Amino acid sequence: DQQVKQNSPSLSVQEGRISILNCDYTNSMFDYFLWYKKYPAEGPTFLISISSIKDKNEDGRFTVFLNKSAKHLSLHIVPSQPGDSAVYFCAASASNQAGTALIFGKGTTLSVSS
Amino acid sequence: DSGVTQTPKHLITATGQRVTLRCSPRSGDLSVYWYQQSLDQGLQFLIQYYNGEERAKGNILERFSAQQFPDLHSELNLSSLELGDSALYFCASSVAVGAYTGELFFGEGSRLTVL
């Protein structure tokens, strides 16, 4: 059973426009959420995170929104740039559960065209 | 550069064989995590070690095993290999015991191809 779901395998956006990547989760014990970015032939790198006590976290062009009641989070990139083209993974963890780890979704491939 | 080193970068072997993937964590990180990324799959958590002890276990097959050594490097052993084991294997490290503090630092991965 997939606990973290990214239902859109791919997303294409024009440079300068907003990119919105979505993620749903099923485990109500998850209380910390992260987005990772991955370029080809590289490992994933941390992008931005949010704790369940917040509903928004912003870092430059990147903003993550969390809707706990809907068990949904989204990553907004504004404005999108060609260098943002990568695979974006949503991840979640349950900080109060021993023996658990960071659970990732399948990823969404973002293509930003100039 | 994340500071996490994985070797080998590429490995081609035959079914039924055994391979060992190696990971050196960032300096100072005590936790090592192994993830598997198969085609069209996300990053599947396999196992975590903290300071030499197993801390969390995911969907790791019985044919797979791992350990973390006193110098904190880790090895993932894959035996009786099957075609379906072909994947990218990532190692990640962090300072924390658990994953809840968030950031994991990933290596570039080891690409295993089983023919």
Side-chain angles (χ1 to χ4, degrees):
Chain A
D1 180 30
Q2 211 177 345
Q3 299 183 69
V4 178
K5 301 177 185 178
Q6 294 178 257
N7 293 320
S8 298
S10 62
L11 175 68
S12 294
V13 172
Q14 283 192 320
E15 182 178 7
R17 305 293 291 266
I18 184 172
S19 295
I20 300 177
L21 295 93
N22 293 303
C23 178
D24 298 295
Y25 61 96
T26 58
N27 189 340
S28 57
M29 300 301 291
F30 287 152
D31 59 357
Y32 198 78
F33 305 89
L34 306 91
W35 286 92
Y36 278 77
K37 178 178 177 180
K38 184 184 179 304
Y39 292 116
E42 296 183 10
T45 55
F46 171 75
L47 188 58
I48 192 169
S49 64
I50 188 167
S51 164
S52 61
I53 63 174
K54 294 185 175 182
D55 54 17
K56 175 183 174 181
N57 188 27
E58 192 171 351
D59 183 2
R61 297 186 296 113
F62 302 90
T63 303
V64 57
F65 295 92
L66 175 63
N67 182 334
K68 289 186 290 294
S69 61
K71 293 191 176 68
H72 177 83
L73 64 155
S74 60
L75 174 68
H76 292 212
I77 307 174
V78 183
S80 301
Q81 299 174 354
D84 296 329
S85 297
V87 179
Y88 289 78
F89 291 100
C90 172
S93 71
S95 64
N96 57 355
Q97 282 192 321
T100 62
L102 203 54
I103 306 300
F104 286 80
K106 291 188 178 183
T108 296
T109 300
L110 173 65
S111 298
V112 180
S113 57
S114 55
Chain B
D1 183 5
S2 67
V4 178
T5 303
Q6 288 189 248
T7 57
K9 289 195 182 335
H10 301 275
L11 189 55
I12 301 174
T13 188
T15 55
Q17 295 299 305
R18 172 190 169 96
V19 298
T20 297
L21 308 180
R22 182 188 168 103
C23 170
S24 294
R26 288 190 324 157
S27 177
D29 285 357
L30 298 179
S31 274
V32 170
Y33 309 77
W34 286 97
Y35 284 83
Q36 177 194 56
Q37 185 183 20
S38 303
L39 194 63
D40 295 331
Q41 295 294 317
L43 293 159
Q44 301 286 320
F45 170 66
L46 296 179
I47 198 163
Q48 177 204 354
Y49 279 83
Y50 175 77
N51 204 21
E53 292 188 3
E54 182 184 306
R55 282 291 176 147
K57 208 166 186 175
N59 299 321
I60 187 167
L61 299 172
E62 285 191 11
R63 299 183 287 108
F64 297 180
S65 65
Q67 55 184 327
Q68 186 179 27
F69 294 86
D71 67 352
L72 301 177
H73 91 271
S74 177
E75 292 181 356
L76 178 67
N77 300 297
L78 316 175
S79 61
S80 302
L81 286 168
E82 302 175 359
L83 296 178
D85 297 329
S86 295
L88 256 177
Y89 291 85
F90 285 104
C91 171
S93 72
S94 77
V95 297
V97 174
Y100 58 86
T101 56
E103 188 171 356
L104 302 185
F105 295 87
F106 282 83
E108 294 183 349
S110 292
R111 180 171 293 282
L112 173 65
T113 302
V114 182
L115 300 176

